Amino acid sequence: MSNPPNKLIYRFEGVEVDPSQGCLRRLGQEQRLRQQTFQVLLYLLEQRERLVTKEEIFEKVWQGTAVTDNALVQSIREIRTILEDDPRHPRFIETVPKAGYRFIVPVEEHPTNGIATIETEEITSIKIELKQDSGDNEIAERRPEVTNKFLTGRLFSPRHLIFAVIILAFAVIAIAFIQLGEIRRANQPIPETALPQLPGKKTLAVMFFENQSETEELDWLRQGLADMLITNLSRSEKLTVLSRPQLQLLLERTGYKTGDAVGLEKALEIARKSGAEVFIVGSFARLGEKMRLDLQLHNTETGGLEIAESLTVDRPEQIFTEIDLLSFKLANHFGAEQQENRVNLASAMTNNLEAYRYYSLALEKAGGLHKKDAVELLEKAIVLDPEFAMAHARIGYVYAVTWGWAEKAKPHLERAFQLSDRLTEKDRLYIAAWYATANLDYPSAIPPLREIIQKYPLESEAYLRLGYLLRGEEKFDEAISVMRQGLTIDPESPALYNSLGLLYSLLGRHDEAIAAHLRYVALAPNEPNSHDSLGMSYQWAGRYEEAIAAYNRSLELNPNFDIAYVHLGVAHFQTGRYRTAIEWFNKYIAVAPSKLESARGYGYISQVHRKMKNYEAAAALAKKAFEEHSRKG
């Protein structure tokens, strides 16, 4: 493979590739690549702006030598490691499944004498395309090395300067781009099959409590008290306890609405669906300054009462102590040893009731994908109790996994690690996976999720996350297998159908993608995202009018469902209706939940104006996008 005839040096985002010297420098530091890996990179640079097939690369680089596909995969992975490129949100090398690779970042070509020779036509355009989300935006925010290189050399004409501003702005926006697509329900889906029946362990479901005080001020305790008991009882080696998200989804599937009382009949139905052998129902009421708690343990097979407990607390702060005592009694009823109860609720979670209230409310917000609201509540919780381990962990989860702000996630996840001795094994495994995600170390996020699936087979969240990670590692068949495995555990999981449909779209299996998303709509007809995802599968299949209809249905269900505005803008852009596309992108900016998202909106409008050859407007909007991104929050 020959070097460029005029001995060009390639430069892009702080990286310099010098073919004549056979070296790559990043931010001024030389990085070592194996010779064949360097040749793969060089060929991708030479053939940028088009898809390069795997067969081409093998022919040009290996020149007939018999090698396996893994040799190329390893070279691509080595390049990505050096460039800090994320395969799920590629900045440099885009993978086209089962086809090849494409180098996608704008590149400057310089002669070895260092004089810039970039002309207008050499600037790589940044296309607006419908993209899929990797799974709660598993991306860390990274800022490129931005210099004035775009304004050097021969770029002196006003039009050239306009293009330079556009490219400079997009270089930043692209890195912060939270790719379009699936906005999933954060509630963990659960199976209709039974909880695992393990020798020596009783299966238990704790229902949400009934608020008999008839005051909204205490309504958070309905779920909060249940969560406290679940946290404590899950520590017992004698019990397998239904998690709060699993309970929430089972209730929703039986027509339960937030705030409804879970009566004995409903509780018995849920317990039987979950496979719990016993279940707990409870209520609370305010008596002046005091509070009364009532709790009953029932047998699922007969519905009969096994244990009844009542207690009164003089001050709200005493709830933690009393819940610990109740947990102790219940665990002992099932034969637990006393040492299992050494870690009480206060040390495992918090001894500050107001902090726990914020935490409980935040879980509800996160379940509805109200990310900003959830973080604000969790931050209030850790102000009240800086050692609230799970509050730190949940902030890290929202930032790293669902929002893509890795740098904001890391301090909280690190703090959760420091306090992890007080958490359950399952919590520690999840935190390990979230922290690896925040560090873009996706291979290290896979083992803890596999362990969760092995030890806690009903954790559908683990199947979902593992599937996304395997997809990012380009292990598409295994990703599909994991998601299907999750669906055998939970055949009515909307999130898994959504995820599977997105993967099918990525692989070009459009009929299967549409079928999966139609199933998602059937399971969640009133969920805006189900219609939005169906619209995406139609759009990827080129069925634009059906896609637009699905997106509009999403907005009928929730006029503030911001991602649908983006998808409508893209769909109209792709069909040449530029003015309508701009209208939708402006609507998106109006409801964007952060400066990062509004920056994305301005970037889209800038690109539409560029397509319409309105260069001055494109440059002004690109500058606006850059400013919004700089102020992100």
Side-chain angles (χ1 to χ4, degrees):
M1 183 171 123
S2 60
N3 289 332
N6 56 353
K7 297 184 179 179
L8 293 175
I9 292 175
Y10 299 99
R11 289 176 181 164
F12 51 91
E13 294 196 14
V15 176
E16 182 177 272
V17 177
D18 187 344
S20 65
Q21 299 294 323
C23 69
L24 178 150
R25 301 180 189 88
R26 186 167 184 270
L27 303 180
Q29 298 295 317
E30 184 169 339
Q31 305 290 331
R32 296 190 178 278
L33 289 172
R34 292 181 298 117
Q35 179 60 24
Q36 287 177 323
T37 299
F38 184 82
Q39 294 299 321
V40 170
L41 173 60
L42 194 56
Y43 189 68
L44 290 173
L45 284 167
E46 291 175 349
Q47 305 299 322
R48 64 189 183 277
E49 299 186 21
R50 76 173 182 88
L51 173 69
V52 178
T53 67
K54 295 179 180 179
E55 291 73 17
E56 277 186 76
I57 299 175
F58 281 123
E59 180 181 347
K60 295 292 183 179
V61 176
W62 278 272
Q63 299 180 351
T65 303
V67 293
T68 65
D69 285 358
N70 189 58
L72 177 55
V73 171
Q74 291 299 323
S75 289
I76 295 293
R77 183 170 295 171
E78 185 179 346
I79 295 168
R80 282 182 170 146
T81 300
I82 292 293
L83 299 180
E84 295 186 4
D85 195 23
D86 176 8
R88 294 153 194 79
H89 304 272
R91 296 162 57 192
F92 303 107
I93 299 174
E94 179 184 34
T95 299
V96 180
K98 301 186 184 300
Y101 302 93
R102 182 187 292 116
F103 202 83
I104 57 176
V105 75
V107 176
E108 302 174 52
E109 292 184 354
H110 296 259
T112 53
N113 60 12
I115 300 174
T117 59
I118 306 173
E119 299 293 342
T120 302
E121 65 270 17
E122 292 173 333
I123 299 177
T124 304
S125 63
I126 302 174
K127 300 176 182 179
I128 294 181
E129 297 176 345
L130 183 71
K131 293 287 187 179
Q132 288 184 319
D133 197 351
S134 70
D136 285 352
N137 303 320
E138 295 172 353
I139 181 174
E141 180 192 31
R142 291 175 287 189
R143 185 182 299 275
E145 181 75 6
V146 179
T147 70
N148 65 349
K149 290 178 183 176
F150 288 109
L151 304 180
T152 62
R154 299 179 186 175
L155 299 180
F156 292 120
S157 73
R159 180 168 171 174
H160 286 172
L161 288 173
I162 289 170
F163 272 107
V165 171
I166 292 172
I167 294 299
L168 180 61
F170 268 93
V172 175
I173 296 166
I175 288 145
F177 187 90
I178 301 177
Q179 293 182 311
L180 301 181
E182 176 218 7
I183 299 294
R184 291 171 307 281
R185 298 157 67 90
N187 291 344
Q188 295 177 14
I190 81 105
E192 304 284 41
T193 54
L195 288 162
Q197 303 293 324
L198 302 175
K201 299 188 76 167
K202 202 83 166 178
T203 50
L204 168 69
V206 182
M207 303 297 155
F208 294 150
F209 278 55
E210 181 183 356
N211 181 4
Q212 296 181 342
S213 299
E214 297 183 354
T215 170
E216 291 185 1
E217 177 187 354
L218 296 176
D219 210 45
W220 72 272
L221 283 170
R222 296 177 56 262
Q223 297 186 31
L225 289 169
D227 199 48
M228 292 177 193
L229 280 170
I230 290 169
T231 298
N232 273 357
L233 294 172
S234 294
R235 297 175 179 279
S236 173
E237 294 183 355
K238 300 295 183 179
L239 293 170
T240 300
V241 185
L242 194 70
S243 71
R244 169 176 166 169
Q246 292 171 331
L247 171 64
Q248 178 77 46
L249 194 57
L250 264 184
L251 285 168
E252 289 176 0
R253 290 180 183 175
T254 60
Y256 170 84
K257 304 294 183 184
T258 300
D260 290 352
V262 183
L264 184 59
E265 184 177 346
K266 174 71 73 176
L268 186 58
E269 177 187 1
I270 295 301
R272 286 172 176 168
K273 281 179 177 285
S274 69
E277 298 169 273
V278 290
F279 64 94
I280 292 171
V281 293
S283 62
F284 61 92
R286 175 177 280 174
L287 306 173
E289 295 299 318
K290 298 181 180 182
M291 185 175 293
R292 178 183 175 86
L293 302 180
D294 292 287
L295 179 149
Q296 301 88 39
L297 177 72
H298 290 264
N299 182 285
T300 301
E301 182 178 359
T302 65
L305 179 67
E306 291 192 3
I307 296 177
E309 293 286 346
S310 295
L311 59 94
T312 301
V313 298
D314 295 325
R315 300 186 312 277
E317 291 76 13
Q318 292 177 329
I319 287 177
F320 291 109
T321 301
E322 297 301 330
I323 288 292
D324 285 336
L325 290 172
L326 278 175
S327 302
F328 180 79
K329 290 181 180 179
L330 290 167
N332 286 343
H333 174 73
F334 297 111
E337 298 180 4
Q338 291 191 9
Q339 56 262 36
E340 288 186 0
N341 297 279
R342 288 179 180 176
V343 179
N344 59 29
L345 186 64
S347 61
M349 297 292 277
T350 179
N351 62 0
N352 187 304
L353 189 63
E354 186 71 358
Y356 201 98
R357 181 176 79 88
Y358 286 133
Y359 175 79
S360 183
L361 294 172
L363 294 185
E364 292 184 52
K365 293 293 185 182
L369 285 172
H370 300 288
K371 297 173 286 191
K372 186 175 181 180
D373 293 339
V375 168
E376 288 176 353
L377 288 165
L378 291 166
E379 286 176 340
K380 289 179 180 180
I382 61 174
V383 167
L384 293 170
D385 183 357
E387 297 191 351
F388 195 162
M390 281 309 297
H392 283 288
R394 284 292 172 184
I395 292 176
Y397 169 83
V398 172
Y399 277 135
V401 179
T402 69
W403 214 332
W405 287 7
E407 294 308 315
K408 292 192 176 213
K410 289 179 187 178
H412 291 288
L413 292 171
E414 288 165 0
R415 184 60 178 146
F417 266 126
Q418 293 170 1
L419 302 166
S420 63
D421 60 323
R422 62 184 63 187
L423 300 177
T424 65
E425 178 188 39
K426 184 172 69 177
D427 288 336
R428 290 194 294 269
L429 289 169
Y430 269 123
I431 291 170
W434 300 342
Y435 189 65
T437 298
N439 283 285
L440 298 184
D441 184 6
Y442 297 108
S444 295
I446 289 175
L449 291 173
R450 290 195 189 279
E451 188 172 349
I452 290 172
I453 288 172
Q454 180 184 2
K455 295 182 176 179
Y456 309 95
L458 295 186
E459 286 292 311
S460 294
E461 175 76 6
Y463 294 97
L464 189 68
R465 301 296 170 206
L466 180 58
Y468 279 120
L469 289 167
L470 292 170
R471 186 184 83 177
E473 294 298 305
E474 302 178 15
K475 298 178 180 179
F476 301 115
D477 291 339
E478 189 177 355
I480 290 173
S481 176
V482 165
M483 291 179 189
R484 284 178 173 166
Q485 184 184 357
L487 285 170
T488 62
I489 297 295
D490 183 4
E492 296 188 13
S493 168
L496 282 167
Y497 275 111
N498 190 15
S499 172
L500 191 58
L502 292 172
L503 180 51
Y504 282 145
S505 281
L506 177 66
L507 296 173
R509 296 161 63 172
H510 300 304
D511 289 343
E512 292 170 282
I514 291 168
H517 283 143
L518 283 170
R519 180 62 177 150
Y520 179 23
V521 169
L523 290 168
N526 297 318
E527 168 58 52
N529 189 64
S530 66
H531 298 275
D532 183 80
S533 292
L534 177 60
M536 284 186 65
S537 59
Y538 281 138
Q539 191 168 353
W540 275 67
R543 296 162 62 174
Y544 294 106
E545 298 311 314
E546 291 167 284
I548 289 171
Y551 295 145
N552 280 320
R553 177 57 182 155
S554 177
L555 289 174
E556 287 174 11
L557 292 168
N558 181 2
N560 293 319
F561 192 68
D562 54 281
I563 200 67
Y565 290 113
V566 177
H567 288 161
L568 278 162
V570 173
H572 284 95
F573 177 87
Q574 290 179 329
T575 52
R577 291 170 277 192
Y578 300 140
R579 295 294 177 187
T580 306
I582 290 172
E583 291 175 9
W584 283 113
F585 290 138
N586 274 320
K587 290 178 181 179
Y588 169 68
I589 292 169
V591 298
S594 76
K595 297 296 181 183
L596 196 65
E597 278 88 350
S598 63
R600 188 202 312 177
Y602 285 117
Y604 285 141
I605 299 174
S606 172
Q607 191 69 356
V608 178
H609 277 291
R610 184 180 178 190
K611 183 70 173 180
M612 298 168 66
K613 299 184 179 180
N614 298 330
Y615 299 120
E616 291 186 6
L621 286 159
K623 181 180 179 183
K624 177 67 174 175
F626 183 87
E627 292 170 349
E628 289 289 289
H629 176 265
S630 299
R631 295 190 296 156
K632 58 188 179 298

